[in-house]
Amino acid sequence: IIGILAAVYYSVMAAWSIIYFFVSFGIPWKSNPALYFQANVLQLSPHIWKLGTIVLPVFITLLIGWVAIFFAMKSGAKALKRSFMVLLPLGIILIVVFLMQALTTDGSLEGISHFLDFRLSSFYSLMMWKSALTNALFSAGIGLGLFMTLSAGAKKASVISCSLAAIASKIIFTMLLSLVAFGSVGILASGANVPIENFETGRLGSQFIMFPAAISAMALPTFASLILFLSFSVISILAAASIVHVLSDAISSRFKVPHQKSAIMVCGAG
C-alpha cells in the first residue's frame, strides 16, 4: 500500500511539474502564486461538500506522466537502468543550473547560510522535521532507483557497495534540493524585508507555491522556471518508475505473467 501511495504521489508531482513547465512563459502566477496554484492548477471547489469536475490539464499531464513511467521501466531492470543513466544526470544538472541562477538573486545566500548554520535548537522544531520528512519522501524513489541501477547485473558480493554508493548519491541529491529550497526561502524573506529567522515558511504551503514565488523575483524567471520544473518532472517520473517497477515485478513473479504485461496493469491502474 505504501508503494502504491508513493507512486501516486510522484506521478501527481510529475503532472503538476509538467503543467508549470508549459506555463512558464509569461509567469502567470506572478501576482499571487498561491491563488494561481489553487484556482488555476488544482481548480479547487468552494467547499468540501461540493464535488468539482475533472481538471483537464491535470488529467492530461497525469496521463503523460504515466506513459513516461511505463516507457522508463517497461522492459524491466535493464530499461530502468538505461533511463536512470540518461535522465538522472540531466535532472541533477538542471537543478545545479537553477541553483546558480538563484544565487544571483538577493537573499539566496542568506537562506543557504541559514541552512548550513547548525543550531541544536532546530531539532525541537516541528516545522524542521516536517520539511526534512518531505524532502526525504521526495528523494526516496531516487534512492531506490539508484540502488536498482547500480546493482543490476552485479554480483552478490558487491550489493553492499552498491547500497553505499546509492546512499551517498542520495545524500548529495538531497543536499542539492535543500540548497535550492533554502535559497528560495531566502529570496522570499529578502523580498518581504523580514529576517530569515523570523520568516514563516509554513505560510508558503506547497512547494508549487514557494518555488514559483521565488522564481518571480529572479532576473530570468522564465528560464529558471523551465529548468526547475523540467528537472522536477524528470526526477518525479524516475522516482515513480522505480517504485512501479518493484510493484510490477512482484505481480509478474506472483502470477507468472510477463513483466511488460504487469507494467501495463500497474500503470493503467495508476
Side-chain angles (χ1 to χ4, degrees):
I1 294 177
I2 294 176
I4 294 173
L5 292 176
V8 170
Y9 167 81
Y10 286 121
S11 64
V12 172
M13 285 281 295
W16 290 347
S17 298
I18 293 171
I19 289 175
Y20 272 89
F21 173 80
F22 282 109
V23 300
S24 293
F25 300 96
I27 313 297
W29 60 77
K30 188 171 184 178
S31 59
N32 193 327
L35 180 62
Y36 181 84
F37 179 62
Q38 295 168 1
N40 293 72
V41 178
L42 301 182
Q43 298 183 25
L44 298 177
S45 57
H47 49 76
I48 193 173
W49 305 112
K50 182 178 180 180
L51 294 177
T53 59
I54 294 177
V55 182
L56 190 58
V58 175
F59 177 79
I60 293 174
T61 52
L62 197 59
L63 183 62
I64 293 172
W66 277 107
V67 170
I69 291 167
F70 171 74
F71 279 103
M73 43 71 66
K74 67 172 183 175
S75 301
K78 290 184 178 179
L80 186 61
K81 181 176 182 177
R82 288 194 298 268
S83 300
F84 260 83
M85 294 297 288
V86 174
L87 296 178
L88 184 58
L90 172 63
I92 292 175
I93 289 171
L94 290 172
I95 289 179
V96 171
V97 173
F98 177 82
L99 180 60
M100 294 173 63
Q101 170 70 14
L103 289 175
T104 64
T105 309
D106 292 340
S108 60
L109 290 177
E110 287 78 3
I112 292 174
S113 176
H114 182 72
F115 166 64
L116 298 176
D117 183 20
F118 177 79
R119 297 182 182 183
L120 188 60
S121 59
S122 299
F123 286 87
Y124 301 103
S125 170
L126 292 177
M127 186 58 65
M128 187 277 291
W129 286 108
K130 177 184 175 182
S131 301
L133 289 172
T134 301
N135 211 341
L137 177 62
F138 184 66
S139 58
I142 293 298
L144 176 63
L146 279 170
F147 173 74
M148 295 175 61
T149 298
L150 294 172
S151 61
K155 297 180 180 180
K156 291 184 179 180
S158 63
V159 171
I160 295 178
S161 61
C162 290
S163 300
L164 293 175
I167 291 171
S169 301
K170 184 174 180 294
I171 291 173
I172 294 172
F173 176 75
T174 304
M175 283 294 294
L176 278 174
L177 284 179
S178 300
L179 292 173
V180 167
F182 275 85
S184 299
V185 171
I187 292 171
L188 296 177
S190 176
N193 292 319
V194 175
I196 193 168
E197 295 83 2
N198 301 329
F199 189 72
E200 298 180 7
T201 55
R203 69 182 182 180
L204 297 174
S206 168
Q207 60 186 342
F208 289 93
I209 298 174
M210 180 185 73
F211 286 120
I215 286 171
S216 299
M218 294 183 183
L220 300 172
T222 298
F223 174 72
S225 180
L226 286 172
I227 58 176
L228 179 67
F229 290 112
L230 178 58
S231 68
F232 279 0
S233 301
V234 169
I235 291 166
S236 298
I237 288 170
L238 287 177
S242 303
I243 298 170
V244 171
H245 170 76
V246 175
L247 299 174
S248 176
D249 195 53
I251 293 173
S252 179
S253 301
R254 176 66 177 82
F255 298 101
K256 308 300 181 183
V257 298
H259 178 82
Q260 189 163 341
K261 288 186 177 180
S262 63
I264 293 174
M265 291 169 56
V266 176
C267 292

